[in-house]
Amino acid sequence: RGRILIVSSIVGATPSGPNIAAYSATKAFDKSIALSLGKELETYGVGVTCLMPGAVKTEFAIHSETQKAACWKYPYYAMSAPAVATRGVRALLAGDPEVCPGWHNRIFLKVLAPLS
């Protein structure tokens, strides 16, 4: 009957670094509410997908003062907004409960995040 896309972030899956504690906490909440709503709304035919991108090439880094973070220093690490949006919409239409665009972000979530 319908679909909901909630945008979280991979920083919501790990303890945050300096100056982004509140942002990280809200993104952890976004993931939690998306997965919970997905279970609750399933019986009504409503799908919920949690989009968990890593670094995205937008003005966010400038305004949040995170330009010095490692993710901005590696070439090709940050993804374009259209690429992230495309992956999110595809996952939403496929009925996936969660999507993390970019192989490097999935490695971060599966391997590095549990170590922190």
Side-chain angles (χ1 to χ4, degrees), residues 36-56:
S36 297
L37 278 175
K39 294 292 184 190
E40 287 183 27
L41 298 176
E42 191 173 46
T43 58
Y44 300 102
V46 177
V48 180
T49 299
C50 181
L51 174 60
M52 297 178 55
V56 180

Side-chain angles (χ1 to χ4, degrees), residues 54-58 76-81 83-84 87 101-105:
V56 180
K57 295 175 191 170
T58 65
Y76 308 108
Y77 186 86
M79 296 180 68
S80 71
V84 171
R87 283 290 291 124
W103 63 268
H104 52 293
N105 294 320

Side-chain angles (χ1 to χ4, degrees), residues 99-116:
V99 61
C100 180
W103 63 268
H104 52 293
N105 294 320
R106 289 189 295 279
I107 288 173
F108 174 81
L109 282 178
K110 299 289 184 191
V111 178
L112 299 176
L115 300 176
S116 55

